[in-house]
Amino acid sequence: MNPTSSLLEDIRNVNLSYLLLVQRLLNEDRDQAMFRLKLEPEMAKKLSDLPVSELAKLASSSQLLCHFALDSTEALTTLTGEGRTNDLQRTHEAILLAGRSDASEKVLSGGKRRG
């Protein structure tokens, strides 16, 4: 197996694992999953309704379907830095990650929030 085909196989495996996790999160608590995954209701419904055979097709993309949520080295440093992991730190992490999409959404929509 050459390095490229090995890499593509790894991407397919990550994609399938991610899609299965997405479905599980949506089935367990749709509202929380939509918040964590930053999904619109229509996309959440579509993803939760897809059969495994369709998930497998989608996972076969050569592109990663998930993305890295941290968009700055400061956020990465804050989340990986020294200190105790406690409820306050986890809350701060959630705020950092949730705030990222909100700011991006404002930029994409010209400063207006969709709702």
Side-chain angles (χ1 to χ4, degrees):
M1 185 179 279
N2 69 41
T4 302
S5 62
S6 176
L7 180 62
L8 291 175
E9 184 63 28
D10 289 344
I11 289 171
R12 282 192 278 289
N13 289 336
V14 167
N15 282 343
L16 185 57
S17 294
Y18 176 71
L19 290 168
L20 291 169
L21 176 62
V22 166
Q23 276 195 336
R24 181 175 161 206
L25 291 170
L26 288 167
N27 290 333
E28 288 180 5
D29 186 337
R30 184 173 299 260
D31 290 335
Q32 186 178 57
M34 287 172 46
F35 173 76
R36 285 183 173 179
L37 299 167
K38 295 158 185 56
L39 295 175
E40 297 291 326
E42 300 82 25
M43 180 63 82
K45 173 142 181 43
K46 182 72 173 174
L47 286 169
S48 66
D49 291 346
L50 284 176
V52 174
S53 60
E54 292 296 316
L55 290 179
K57 285 182 193 175
L58 187 55
S60 293
S61 168
S62 62
Q63 299 294 314
L64 282 171
L65 298 177
C66 56
H67 70 279
F68 194 67
L70 302 176
D71 61 353
S72 72
T73 56
E74 292 83 14
L76 180 62
T77 302
T78 299
L79 296 175
T80 60
E82 295 290 322
R84 297 183 319 205
T85 301
N86 56 33
D87 289 338
L88 184 57
Q89 184 176 355
R90 282 191 291 276
T91 301
H92 185 233
E93 292 168 5
I95 291 168
L96 280 174
L97 294 173
R100 179 190 165 271
S101 71
D102 188 46
S104 299
E105 197 173 298
K106 286 180 184 176
V107 169
L108 292 174
S109 64
K112 299 174 194 160
R113 290 204 55 175
R114 292 181 285 161

